[in-house]
Amino acid sequence: MYNLDSLTLKYLINQNKDFFDGAVVQKIQMPSKREILLSIRNLGENKKLYINVNPKFPHINFIENKENYFLKIPKEPPMFCMLLRKHLEGAKLKDVRVVEYERIVEFYFDIYDEIGFITPMCLAIELMGKHSNAILYNAQNKIITGCIHNISQQKSSVREVWGGINYIYPPKQDKKDILKSSISDFYTLPLDEISSKYYYFSKGLLEFIFNKNFIKKEDLFSYLQNLAGTGESEIKNFWHNNLIIEGLLPPSALINLSDCSLNFLVEKYFSCFVMKDLLQTRKNILEKAINKEIKRQNDVVLNLEKKNTYLNHKQKGDLILANIYKIKTGDKKLITDDEIIDLDPFKTPSENAQYYFSLYSKGKKAQDILKERCSKAKENLEYLNDILFSIENADRPEILDEIGEELGEFLNSSYVFGAKTKCAQKGKDKEKPNVQTLEYQGFTIYVGKNNKQNDYLIKKISSPEDIWLHGKDCPSGHIFIKTENGKKPLNDEVLLYAAQIAKRNSPMKNSAKASIIYTKRKFIKRPPDTHPGYVTYREEKEIVV
């Protein structure tokens, strides 16, 4: 992926200058420690400014499509969020500047203190890879009030950033401004050194430009000058091309870039990587918790397979009784043809035999209990493997949240993602699962992505005459075709379409063929005291996809 370059940042801010001028900050939120969400109002409209200082994909943009994001606001906001709310909520935006040649945006606010005096404050957003940061400082005396990442002398000998010291810009790079350079200096450089010697041009942007066959080498200098001065349309082309490369737009996609904002392209590009990273992070957390529990359940199964000595105790007791006439009180051992048996010299021969019989009885009871635990452990292992598949198949963070809640209930823990989850409790309302719904030839098809959604479909959505589909002998999402309780006759084309969906939501999604079973909802049963999503069925038929 490409990082947000200084040229894109300059055009992005300039495109929204009119909205920024005199805007008022109404609300400040931080979905995570590296994300800031500013709700701003101006010119009769509200907009949400999204700021991300994650070193993997630092960027800034207005939110135009909420479906690109998963912004879950925590109940307890980070400390920096509280600091921003204290100083900036209700503040008027006086000016927005992009620091020349840098990937730094400065938002200047006029803030009234308790006495009524104006205090100028600045929120500096530094989008510089691993050095990305958000810093609030007093614009009058340059004293830092707070920041997302404190940088001490131990972390950096070049520049410190923490509350109470002066804010300074990062060291300037040894580069030239192409708008202030001569053509003779430019053509003395090899093409691969332009990015390291001139501001504005990232390696990705130059690679995109060089791939354009219509740009001649002798025209390159004037072309780059125009790009640095008034090249917003070319920057749009660059990000549109990146969207196609990443598969976010089909190669044949035709977008009228004159009607399309740069903000739209930047948002679509970076929101994809933010979502992928969030999904993978949450999947790793869940998989780690599940694998730990799988190991514990496997240990229960292995304990049963270990050699148990309780039968040997019965044999010893029988031998003592068989040879009781040879044993005298005070003997420490009984030597037989088969083995040597230890005796307690303070017990009678009969008491020694009863001691071994009691050990046998305890061992037998323990073995019976262990068999029950082993049977339950095998059920749990099957259930945990089903959850692992649901995690792998999840494509939205809210689906993983539902799995996290389910796993929290199973593990009897309120912590899964490092924060309290909404574990199901009696007497409390549960949130409705966000079940995927599809329409095909007038039929509504519901797709369960995890056990909570599967249970919800079985108990709340489906009717007795609806059609249920599931992968045969494997973990799979529950698919339901609504038939208006049998009033709509189902055709083979709709059934095949639903079976293909079932295949995509099963481990057989990459197989050449998959067996899918289907039956009516009235023929499936959710047994009591079983794991979520578990059903028994009858009268099923099979279709091969």
Side-chain angles (χ1 to χ4, degrees):
M1 66 168 289
Y2 295 108
N3 287 325
L4 192 71
D5 56 82
S6 58
L7 200 55
T8 301
L9 187 61
K10 182 178 78 169
Y11 290 135
L12 189 63
I13 297 301
N14 286 342
Q15 197 178 68
N16 296 280
K17 271 282 188 184
D18 293 339
F19 179 80
F20 282 128
D21 188 21
V24 177
V25 178
Q26 294 187 317
K27 197 173 184 180
I28 300 173
Q29 297 168 303
M30 287 185 67
S32 71
K33 292 182 179 179
R34 292 173 175 174
E35 296 174 294
I36 302 174
L37 198 61
L38 299 180
S39 298
I40 306 174
R41 180 172 179 81
N42 197 18
L43 303 177
E45 62 176 327
N46 297 320
K47 288 187 177 182
K48 290 187 181 292
L49 183 66
Y50 177 76
I51 300 165
N52 193 314
V53 293
N54 190 318
K56 297 178 184 177
F57 26 69
H59 66 285
I60 181 173
N61 61 267
F62 282 106
I63 293 179
E64 295 183 10
N65 187 356
K66 292 182 180 179
E67 292 183 0
N68 292 335
Y69 299 88
F70 180 74
L71 301 174
K72 192 171 184 179
I73 308 302
K75 291 183 179 179
E76 296 181 4
M79 289 299 295
F80 188 67
C81 180
M82 299 297 290
L83 183 70
L84 292 179
R85 288 176 180 177
K86 176 183 176 182
H87 290 282
L88 300 185
E89 269 193 356
K92 190 174 183 179
L93 189 54
K94 183 181 178 182
D95 190 19
V96 179
R97 304 173 196 167
V98 178
V99 177
E100 193 174 29
Y101 313 132
E102 296 288 354
R103 290 172 289 171
I104 301 175
V105 190
E106 293 182 324
F107 296 90
Y108 289 90
F109 299 89
D110 280 341
I111 301 171
Y112 290 90
D113 58 19
E114 293 83 354
I115 306 174
F117 290 106
I118 295 178
T119 304
M121 297 290 289
C122 177
L123 177 62
I125 308 300
E126 301 181 350
L127 307 171
M128 304 180 299
K130 66 179 181 179
H131 304 293
S132 299
N133 209 342
I135 305 165
L136 181 67
Y137 67 91
N138 188 308
Q140 195 168 8
N141 57 22
K142 301 291 184 180
I143 299 297
I144 296 175
T145 306
C147 55
I148 285 183
H149 302 299
N150 289 325
I151 303 173
S152 63
Q153 191 174 13
Q154 286 75 22
K155 292 181 180 179
S156 173
S157 59
V158 178
R159 178 178 178 241
E160 295 180 57
V161 179
W162 43 274
I165 66 171
N166 285 337
Y167 175 77
I168 58 173
Y169 291 121
K172 287 190 175 182
Q173 304 175 70
D174 186 18
K175 293 184 179 183
K176 299 177 183 178
D177 186 345
I178 199 167
L179 297 173
K180 302 174 184 178
S181 301
S182 65
I183 190 171
S184 58
D185 291 339
F186 178 81
Y187 282 111
T188 57
L189 282 175
L191 294 179
D192 57 355
E193 292 187 19
I194 294 175
S195 176
S196 59
K197 297 297 181 182
Y198 287 93
Y199 291 111
Y200 298 125
F201 310 117
S202 64
K203 291 181 179 180
L205 179 58
L206 288 173
E207 183 181 349
F208 171 71
I209 293 168
F210 295 155
N211 287 336
K212 290 196 163 193
N213 297 325
F214 62 84
I215 299 176
K216 298 179 181 178
K217 186 176 181 181
E218 54 269 24
D219 298 331
L220 184 59
F221 179 75
S222 59
Y223 178 84
L224 293 178
Q225 278 193 321
N226 291 332
L227 184 62
T230 57
E232 184 178 343
S233 61
E234 193 62 22
I235 293 297
K236 285 184 181 179
N237 279 322
F238 169 63
W239 289 105
H240 177 253
N241 183 67
N242 290 339
L243 288 170
I244 294 175
I245 291 174
E246 295 293 340
L248 303 175
L249 285 177
S252 58
L254 295 176
I255 294 180
N256 189 348
L257 293 179
S258 60
D259 297 332
C260 174
S261 66
L262 179 59
N263 182 84
F264 168 80
L265 298 171
V266 170
E267 178 191 26
K268 190 169 183 64
Y269 183 79
F270 284 103
S271 62
C272 171
F273 292 100
V274 173
M275 187 65 74
K276 283 181 179 178
D277 183 71
L278 179 62
L279 276 170
Q280 193 57 50
T281 300
R282 293 188 169 220
K283 284 182 179 182
N284 291 342
I285 293 171
L286 286 170
E287 286 171 356
K288 183 178 179 181
I290 289 176
N291 287 329
K292 183 178 178 181
E293 182 63 17
I294 285 176
K295 183 179 182 301
R296 195 178 74 83
Q297 299 291 343
N298 275 325
D299 288 343
V300 174
V301 177
L302 290 173
N303 283 338
L304 182 67
E305 297 174 358
K306 290 180 180 178
K307 185 177 180 181
N308 199 301
T309 58
Y310 77 94
L311 292 174
N312 193 32
H313 294 314
K314 183 177 185 296
Q315 183 181 1
K316 288 181 179 180
D318 290 336
L319 285 172
I320 291 173
L321 290 178
N323 296 277
I324 197 169
Y325 63 93
K326 297 181 181 178
I327 305 172
K328 298 178 181 178
T329 302
D331 287 350
K332 294 183 178 181
K333 292 182 183 298
L334 170 63
I335 301 174
T336 66
D337 295 336
D338 297 325
E339 60 180 310
I340 300 173
I341 302 172
D342 292 328
L343 301 174
D344 188 342
F346 300 102
K347 292 181 178 179
T348 64
S350 178
E351 289 174 340
N352 274 297
Q354 291 302 319
Y355 169 73
Y356 281 106
F357 286 138
S358 66
L359 290 180
Y360 162 75
S361 180
K362 289 178 182 178
K364 189 175 183 301
K365 288 180 180 178
Q367 189 73 352
D368 292 340
I369 293 171
L370 196 58
K371 283 181 179 179
E372 291 180 10
R373 289 184 61 195
C374 181
S375 176
K376 185 65 177 176
K378 288 179 179 178
E379 289 180 16
N380 290 339
L381 285 170
E382 186 177 349
Y383 170 66
L384 291 169
N385 285 320
D386 286 349
I387 296 182
L388 276 177
F389 170 74
S390 297
I391 293 170
E392 181 188 346
N393 201 41
D395 55 0
R396 294 289 297 177
E398 54 264 31
I399 296 175
L400 293 174
D401 269 0
E402 292 168 358
I403 296 173
E405 291 176 17
E406 178 188 350
L407 187 59
E409 293 170 19
F410 174 75
L411 300 178
N412 195 23
S413 170
S414 59
Y415 291 89
V416 177
F417 287 125
K420 286 186 179 179
T421 60
K422 296 179 180 177
C423 290
Q425 298 178 15
K426 292 183 179 179
K428 290 195 174 182
D429 294 333
K430 302 177 185 178
E431 291 184 0
K432 289 183 180 180
N434 187 19
V435 180
Q436 183 183 2
T437 307
L438 302 171
E439 296 291 334
Y440 186 73
Q441 292 190 5
F443 286 86
T444 301
I445 301 173
Y446 289 93
V447 183
K449 292 281 188 177
N450 56 50
N451 288 325
K452 277 192 172 290
Q453 292 186 6
N454 294 339
D455 266 4
Y456 178 70
L457 290 174
I458 294 168
K459 295 176 181 178
K460 302 292 184 182
I461 300 297
S462 58
S463 301
E465 296 296 324
D466 294 339
I467 303 300
W468 170 80
L469 298 96
H470 192 277
K472 184 180 180 182
D473 300 328
C474 69
S476 164
H478 291 222
I479 313 298
F480 282 93
I481 307 173
K482 294 293 290 181
T483 62
E484 295 185 6
N485 213 10
K487 295 179 181 178
K488 292 174 72 173
L490 186 67
N491 59 57
D492 291 344
E493 192 174 347
V494 175
L495 184 62
L496 178 61
Y497 178 77
Q500 290 170 340
I501 296 172
K503 179 178 183 289
R504 289 198 297 269
N505 286 276
S506 76
M508 301 178 288
K509 57 186 175 183
N510 297 321
S511 303
K513 293 182 180 180
S515 295
I516 306 297
I517 55 173
Y518 67 96
T519 188
K520 290 184 178 181
R521 163 65 183 87
K522 64 183 179 182
F523 296 134
I524 67 173
K525 184 180 179 182
R526 173 80 166 83
D529 300 326
T530 54
H531 294 302
Y534 180 83
V535 295
T536 58
Y537 52 87
R538 59 189 177 87
E539 305 291 333
E540 75 277 7
K541 296 179 182 179
E542 184 176 337
I543 181 172
V544 177
V545 180

